[in-house]
Amino acid sequence: MAAAEPDTPQEKPKGPYLRWLTILAIHVAAIILWEFAVRATKLPVFILPAPSAIFVTLSKTNYAWLSNTWVTAQEIYGGYLLSVVTGVALALMFTWSRLLTLLVFPLFITLNMIPKVALGPLIIVWFSYGIGTNILITLSLCFFPILLTTVRGLKEVEPDLLDLVKSLKGSQWQTFLYIQLPGSLPYIFAGMKVAAILAVAGAVVGEFISSDKGLGYLMIQVQAALDTPAMFMAVILITLLGIALYLMVLLLEHLLVRKDARIAS
């Protein structure tokens, strides 16, 4: 009889920390390569500044980085939160009323086809310009993915569960709260991740069209002077705001949705 092979310890699965460290290392390596490439080619600063020249602008007070970043953050996060609330609420209404779905949902699809850049000047004419207007532009750009995926998620609930709640004389609100909402969370978060990307674009579009503050407004101002380092720094800060929003959505999804139920987006 062959001798039993000694037990070998099972290899521990690699944790998420290694993946995040790898992502961070890739970004740092890209920045270092960028620095060396610009120095080696001696490109003019107004064409492509080195990262060191870009980060130096943070020390200059004339750009008002803190206040401009705060304004853009309000527009991004405010518009995004409104889009989540509006999208889920409208999806619930469409699920409850077939007549409303027939009459209104096609209209939302048509309105979503309108280029938001073209819609921006009209919103400014109606509501003037400022943080509130840019929040509306952000809302108009990113609420539809949440609406669409939430409607699908609410309709994906098993009919047997709905029949069970009806037999127990549960209200529509109880059906949504205890059956539809938990089952549709993977779809809601799939839409929220797409909307997180669009929210950043919406805020910047609003500031480009007409604004007197914010990182997008600052980019327009420094463009006339060919201040490329400041433009790059504004882009980096806008990107960081978007990444922070996306990571918060991922964290909420990790806490509220089982891993095997998540939808890749």
Side-chain angles (χ1 to χ4, degrees):
M1 188 174 180
E5 295 181 0
D7 294 335
T8 57
Q10 295 181 350
E11 184 180 354
K12 294 183 179 179
K14 296 180 180 180
Y17 297 106
L18 180 60
R19 181 165 62 94
W20 287 108
L21 286 175
T22 303
I23 293 173
L24 180 61
I26 291 173
H27 282 74
V28 172
I31 293 174
I32 294 174
L33 181 62
W34 178 4
E35 179 77 27
F36 279 105
V38 171
R39 290 179 180 271
T41 57
K42 297 181 180 180
L43 287 171
V45 174
F46 69 90
I47 294 179
L48 182 64
S52 57
I54 294 171
F55 290 115
V56 163
T57 60
L58 285 174
S59 62
K60 299 180 180 179
T61 58
N62 58 303
Y63 297 116
W65 291 116
L66 189 59
S67 61
N68 283 316
T69 302
W70 171 241
V71 168
T72 304
Q74 291 180 75
E75 295 164 355
I76 292 174
Y77 295 114
Y80 182 78
L81 288 175
L82 279 178
S83 70
V84 173
V85 174
T86 305
V88 174
L90 286 174
L92 180 60
M93 292 171 63
F94 289 141
T95 305
W96 283 353
S97 174
R98 292 183 179 179
L99 179 62
L100 187 65
T101 302
L102 179 63
L103 296 177
V104 180
F105 192 75
L107 180 62
F108 275 107
I109 296 176
T110 302
L111 292 175
N112 187 64
M113 298 302 169
I114 300 175
K116 301 308 180 291
V117 176
L119 192 62
L122 289 175
I123 295 178
I124 291 169
V125 169
W126 295 333
F127 302 101
S128 185
Y129 65 90
I131 295 178
T133 302
N134 292 338
I135 287 176
L136 287 178
I137 295 175
T138 303
L139 168 65
S140 68
L141 193 65
C142 65
F143 101 99
F144 192 75
I146 299 175
L147 171 65
L148 203 60
T149 55
T150 304
V151 167
R152 182 183 174 187
L154 292 174
K155 291 181 177 180
E156 290 290 329
V157 178
E158 295 183 11
D160 293 340
L161 291 176
L162 297 178
D163 293 338
L164 176 62
V165 175
K166 290 179 181 178
S167 66
L168 296 174
K169 301 184 182 300
S171 64
Q172 284 186 326
W173 176 250
Q174 289 174 325
T175 303
F176 168 72
L177 192 61
Y178 297 111
I179 303 297
Q180 290 179 303
L181 180 59
S184 63
L185 281 179
Y187 294 89
I188 295 175
F189 277 102
M192 287 174 63
K193 285 185 278 188
V194 175
I197 300 171
L198 297 176
V200 178
V204 175
V205 165
E207 292 179 352
F208 278 172
I209 294 173
S210 182
S211 184
D212 58 354
K213 58 187 72 174
L215 294 173
Y217 165 77
L218 179 63
M219 289 181 65
I220 297 297
Q221 297 302 307
V222 299
Q223 180 188 27
L226 290 178
D227 191 350
T228 310
M231 284 192 284
F232 266 96
M233 192 66 247
V235 170
I236 291 173
L237 291 174
I238 292 170
T239 304
L240 290 176
L241 289 174
I243 291 174
L245 176 59
Y246 195 84
L247 289 178
M248 283 190 283
V249 174
L250 289 181
L251 177 60
L252 283 175
E253 184 183 36
H254 176 77
L255 295 174
L256 299 176
V257 182
R258 298 194 318 270
K259 186 175 181 179
D260 56 351
R262 298 171 194 167
I263 299 175
S265 60

